[in-house]
Amino acid sequence: MSGTQGELASLTLAEAARRVKAREVSPVELVDASLERIAAVNDRLAAFIRVLDPEARQVAKAAEMMVMAGHDLGPLHGVPIGVKDNVAVRGFPTTAGSRILADWVPEQDATVARRLRQAGAVFVGKLNMHEFAWGGTSDNPHYGTVRNPWNTERFPAGSSGGSGAAVAARACYGAIGTDTGGSIRLPSALNGIVGIRPTYGRVSNHGIIPLAWSMDTAGPMTRTVEDCALMFGAIAGHDPKDAGTARVSVPDYSAGLGLGIKGLRVGIIPGYFFHHLQPAVLEAVKAALDTMVACGAQLVEVDIEHVHGNISAQLTIEAAEPSTYHQRWLRERPDDYGADVRSLLEIGELLLATHYLQAQRYRSLLRNQFMDAFLRVDLFVCPTLPFTATRIGEMKVIIQDGVEEDMLSAIMQFTGVPSLTGLPSLNIPCGFDPDGLPIGMQLIGRPFDESTLFRAGAAYQAATDFHLREPDL
Amino acid sequence: MSKADPFLGPQDVRNLAAYADLPLAPGREEAILPVLRAWLTDANALSRKMSAAEHWNLTPAITFIHPSIEEGEG
């Protein structure tokens, strides 16, 4: 990266926002740095479907004038942010990574987009993704295959793959992703960044193309926990346009970041999350737990009797709900879907109502067990997924003993648990494998207790430097 | 019934699709059969598990939501 713009692009979101407020850097300079970085890397990464140039420059200029006039738009004033392309941004095509919505231009912002604007964010682009968010590779047949900045022969996971790659590549200071079965956490893990799936109902889904209504969430993807907490505070809260959002007050998520984790009870579930992993992932997460203990946390082993079998419930719900949403298009325009998404949508039509409802009953069972466990622990820690980034195009993965497993069920086997239970889950980078590929761990918390996740994540990042490393692009 | 048992064949898929009013293009049943077979096997296993007496009182996680009525709201 070129000198000064490279330095600017490497700032954290929180530091960039602070410098804007202090008039040490202009929003124009931040957006210039971001757009230059996008121009330098996007041909190799395909992270952005659409770059909002010159619009971002115009907004940055206005933001600069506001700052110079003494007007503070909010915690993200002048900070360049990317938006996953299933989130409506008024006046610009919102494709959901699809051919079917290639020409849809929303007239209104999604609520998360509106709240980010109100907080002062400058949108620099719409981010590439797995088509309609129904997949975990971001291998998009219509807008290009997203590539992992740490090794462009490897995949970035998904479905928010463009968001993950863009943040890791320092092309924007933060991004919005969406997460149904892991689509924020998986690309966060494989791109070495922070990402949070909020409590179901904490953040509005209004204006976001749905995948599975009963599990969809939206959240920030950033380089640090501090950045994530800052962005999260801007978007969280009840929305009258989304009946699924909760009337629960929004705390200052940044306030507790320096409290440390002395005495925090960290739950681990050895019988499920720690027995079927690539060795490097197991070592990294174990080392992370050691770090947390060194910081004063206590480890508590927990058995969740019915956690096994969660994958079937996850797949049943995550298949039936999108197939319902897509019924008309699947009949009118089946050839406009990518092959994998078309197959999944057809499969989802052929599951029985009783399968779906039994899966929904299983969710109640699993949630009850986790809520009982939260009497003894404050949060759970586990790997985000059991492997690191595979080669692009692979639909099978080898985790242990040379056995090939189906990519979709393998990739969601740990992230499905928070999705089914509605619990918040924060991915934090916790190491690298021997090939230099990032490894992530999940922190799973009580409903609406994202503050504890941020606090624990911040303490971990104060003791480690994995989040400070950048890919060599 | 194990995942290897061919309890579902191409014609079964065509029949299911017809029940669902889903017109499957030729060859689609072969494309989706392996995954559908595996998912149905696991879904049936989950259904058996959830039908056990110990889970009798569990209701589905999705419920009808009444909007809250707070002071000042109609």
Side-chain angles (χ1 to χ4, degrees):
Chain A
M1 290 191 269
S2 62
T4 305
Q5 290 200 326
E7 288 161 12
L8 285 176
S10 289
L11 293 176
T12 65
L13 181 153
E15 181 62 19
R18 188 196 69 74
R19 291 193 190 187
V20 166
K21 288 188 196 318
R23 303 188 190 184
E24 294 172 11
V25 70
S26 161
V28 171
E29 292 176 286
L30 292 180
V31 167
D32 281 350
S34 180
L35 292 175
E36 179 184 283
R37 185 68 177 152
I38 293 171
V41 304
N42 204 49
D43 279 350
R44 283 176 284 165
L45 300 181
F48 285 83
I49 287 178
R50 185 176 312 279
V51 181
L52 303 185
D53 185 0
E55 294 84 2
R57 297 184 196 273
Q58 294 161 357
V59 174
K61 189 66 184 166
E64 178 187 73
M65 292 173 63
M66 297 282 262
V67 167
M68 298 312 291
H71 192 86
D72 181 1
L73 277 175
L76 304 177
H77 189 147
V79 179
I81 298 292
V83 181
K84 186 178 181 182
D85 207 27
N86 57 351
V87 178
V89 172
R90 70 172 186 271
F92 296 101
T94 293
T95 69
S98 74
R99 184 178 294 163
I100 286 174
L101 289 179
D103 299 321
W104 180 55
V105 180
E107 295 177 356
Q108 301 287 334
D109 281 338
T111 297
V112 293
R114 177 171 54 80
R115 288 180 175 176
L116 286 169
R117 283 194 209 268
Q118 288 170 340
V122 181
F123 297 152
V124 287
K126 300 303 294 296
L127 290 157
N128 203 353
M129 54 182 285
H130 206 102
E131 183 181 10
F132 282 117
W134 200 178
T137 67
S138 305
D139 193 351
N140 190 300
H142 315 296
Y143 300 100
T145 297
V146 185
R147 294 177 178 270
N148 193 311
W150 296 90
N151 180 330
T152 55
E153 299 302 309
R154 303 294 179 115
F155 85 134
S159 62
S160 310
S163 306
V167 172
R170 276 52 179 160
C172 53
Y173 294 83
I176 284 292
T178 63
D179 190 306
T180 301
S183 292
I184 284 175
R185 293 161 286 157
L186 296 168
S188 295
L190 295 197
N191 289 283
I193 65 170
V194 175
I196 187 163
R197 175 195 165 85
T199 308
Y200 184 85
R202 176 78 287 185
V203 176
S204 174
N205 287 324
H206 175 75
I208 300 176
I209 303 297
L211 175 63
W213 297 284
S214 72
M215 295 195 295
D216 286 346
T217 63
M221 298 167 72
T222 59
R223 300 169 208 174
T224 72
V225 171
E226 181 187 19
D227 293 352
C228 198
L230 195 62
M231 246 181 108
F232 194 68
I235 62 173
H238 175 68
D239 179 16
K241 295 181 181 176
D242 180 356
T245 54
R247 292 181 182 273
V248 174
S249 61
V250 178
D252 178 356
Y253 291 110
S254 302
L257 293 181
L259 291 178
I261 53 172
K262 193 169 161 65
L264 199 73
R265 300 168 302 168
V266 174
I268 57 173
I269 307 172
Y272 183 74
F273 287 116
F274 289 89
H275 88 285
H276 182 56
L277 308 172
Q278 286 180 345
V281 176
L282 178 61
E283 284 170 29
V285 180
K286 277 186 166 178
L289 289 168
D290 290 341
T291 299
M292 291 182 136
V293 169
C295 291
Q298 307 165 28
L299 294 189
V300 179
E301 283 198 12
V302 174
D303 176 42
I304 302 285
E305 180 188 356
H306 294 289
V307 69
H308 297 272
N310 74 85
I311 298 169
S312 176
Q314 176 75 22
L315 290 172
T316 295
I317 297 167
E318 198 164 335
E321 292 188 7
S323 293
T324 305
Y325 179 78
H326 285 268
Q327 276 199 319
R328 181 167 63 90
W329 289 325
L330 189 60
R331 284 152 179 76
E332 293 179 0
R333 303 175 61 179
D335 294 331
D336 283 343
Y337 287 98
D340 61 331
V341 174
R342 179 178 178 175
S343 292
L344 291 171
L345 292 175
E346 289 169 342
I347 289 166
E349 292 248 18
L350 306 182
L351 300 170
L352 301 179
T354 46
H355 290 141
Y356 175 79
L357 285 164
Q358 293 289 30
Q360 292 286 6
R361 290 181 72 234
Y362 172 81
R363 292 179 77 178
S364 297
L365 174 63
L366 190 63
R367 180 190 156 85
N368 291 346
Q369 293 210 310
F370 269 89
M371 293 311 294
D372 285 343
F374 278 124
L375 296 173
R376 292 176 284 142
V377 307
D378 298 307
L379 58 94
F380 287 92
V381 170
C382 64
T384 300
L385 69 164
F387 54 92
T388 55
T390 61
R391 296 196 174 281
I392 284 171
E394 289 181 354
M395 295 311 296
K396 300 284 184 189
V397 60
I398 293 174
I399 299 173
Q400 277 184 321
D401 304 324
V403 176
E404 281 192 335
E405 300 182 35
D406 175 71
M407 173 66 78
L408 189 60
S409 45
I411 205 169
M412 290 202 297
Q413 61 186 284
F414 298 156
T415 53
V417 169
S419 299
L420 289 166
T421 55
L423 299 173
S425 175
L426 177 71
N427 175 83
I428 300 180
C430 67
F432 294 84
D433 77 359
D435 293 326
L437 297 168
I439 296 168
M441 63 176 175
Q442 279 191 108
L443 278 56
I444 303 170
R446 295 187 181 94
F448 302 104
D449 194 18
E450 286 86 352
S451 293
T452 296
L453 302 185
F454 289 135
R455 173 186 150 209
Y460 178 76
Q461 290 197 327
T464 59
D465 68 352
F466 302 116
H467 58 291
L468 300 176
R469 302 185 198 177
E470 297 182 21
D472 183 20
L473 271 171
Chain B
M1 191 169 290
S2 74
K3 289 182 187 179
D5 292 340
F7 76 100
L8 195 75
Q11 188 56 49
D12 298 311
V13 176
R14 290 223 153 265
N15 291 342
L16 281 171
Y19 302 151
D21 192 29
L22 174 66
L24 277 186
R28 293 303 302 159
E29 62 274 22
E30 280 83 15
I32 66 176
L33 186 54
V35 174
L36 178 62
R37 188 182 283 145
W39 287 16
L40 282 175
T41 301
D42 291 341
N44 285 336
L46 185 64
S47 291
R48 287 192 294 275
K49 171 190 171 87
M50 298 310 299
S51 297
E54 64 182 299
H55 303 314
W56 188 257
N57 289 323
L58 277 171
T59 55
I62 46 170
T63 57
F64 184 77
I65 300 172
H66 287 282
S68 62
I69 304 293
E70 297 182 357
E71 190 171 340
E73 291 183 8

